[in-house]
Amino acid sequence: MRRVLFAIMLLAIGWSAPLMAAPMGFWGTLAQARWVQEGRLGPLIYVFMDPNCPYCHVLYNRLQPFIRKGQVVVRFIPVGMLTPSSAGKAAAILESPDPQKALAKNEKGFHGDRGAIAPVTPTPATEKMLRHNLYYFSMTDATGVPATLYKKRSGQVDVITGAPSPGNLAKILQGL
């Protein structure tokens, strides 16, 4: 039901892609999303995040030690869905000459319930990317952000909504 409602919303804002994705191929499809990568070594995970999400901020900070140690590669997929400035902040990150630095700036200066980067008016191309990112998010069946997708050694793709505790995050990453 959630997918149907989300699909109707996407159609209302001009989305024209097919509304069904092959569940088996979803992991590979995520590479087509617009993301910001941190880390170069270790298994890959995807995190859907909103620049104004305090739980996304917590997860970003919890992932940093694992990224620095080369234990995980994280592709942060910005979506603008929580507040009126979210899409503009997601656009500012994606349109930056250095999206990784822009994401870090947003997270470093995060205060209360808002990220530190100033919102921008998205270009038409960035608007389209953000719609695509929302579409991919809708296919996860996650109930909110952050939504973390990871592939187990068995090949099964799992989704976690919210920021896992430090202990649970370590267990998840050890199982990749």
Side-chain angles (χ1 to χ4, degrees):
M1 182 63 174
R2 182 176 176 277
R3 280 187 187 180
V4 171
L5 292 174
F6 204 80
I8 291 169
M9 182 191 82
L10 288 170
L11 284 171
I13 62 172
W15 180 257
S16 60
L19 295 176
M20 297 303 290
M24 299 302 274
F26 185 63
W27 182 259
T29 303
L30 286 173
Q32 299 171 19
R34 183 66 196 277
W35 36 261
V36 178
Q37 182 170 308
E38 290 199 5
R40 290 183 280 160
L41 298 171
L44 174 65
I45 66 172
Y46 288 93
V47 176
F48 286 91
M49 52 80 63
D50 184 294
N52 288 323
C53 170
Y55 300 106
C56 299
H57 174 67
V58 167
L59 180 58
Y60 177 89
N61 286 332
R62 285 183 182 162
L63 284 167
Q64 293 307 304
F66 297 101
I67 293 168
R68 282 191 299 275
K69 291 177 186 173
Q71 295 175 319
V72 69
V73 174
V74 182
R75 290 182 176 167
F76 293 97
I77 303 174
V79 293
M81 56 189 267
L82 293 181
T83 70
S85 69
S86 291
K89 289 181 178 188
I93 292 167
L94 294 176
E95 292 178 5
S96 169
D98 188 339
Q100 189 178 19
K101 281 186 181 176
L103 175 61
K105 175 182 178 179
N106 185 70
E107 299 305 318
K108 185 177 181 183
F110 201 94
H111 181 70
D113 63 351
R114 61 187 179 275
I117 199 160
V120 300
T121 301
T123 65
T126 301
E127 259 183 42
K128 184 176 180 180
M129 283 186 262
L130 289 172
R131 283 195 307 270
H132 285 163
N133 285 358
L134 276 173
Y135 173 72
Y136 295 130
F137 172 74
S138 76
M139 299 309 294
T140 69
D141 281 336
T143 57
V145 288
T148 304
L149 283 79
Y150 61 96
K151 193 181 234 184
K152 294 180 175 181
R153 288 186 185 126
S154 66
Q156 177 185 345
V157 176
D158 277 349
V159 179
I160 296 176
T161 301
S165 70
N168 283 343
L169 182 59
K171 287 179 189 174
I172 290 165
L173 296 177
Q174 287 172 357
L176 301 180

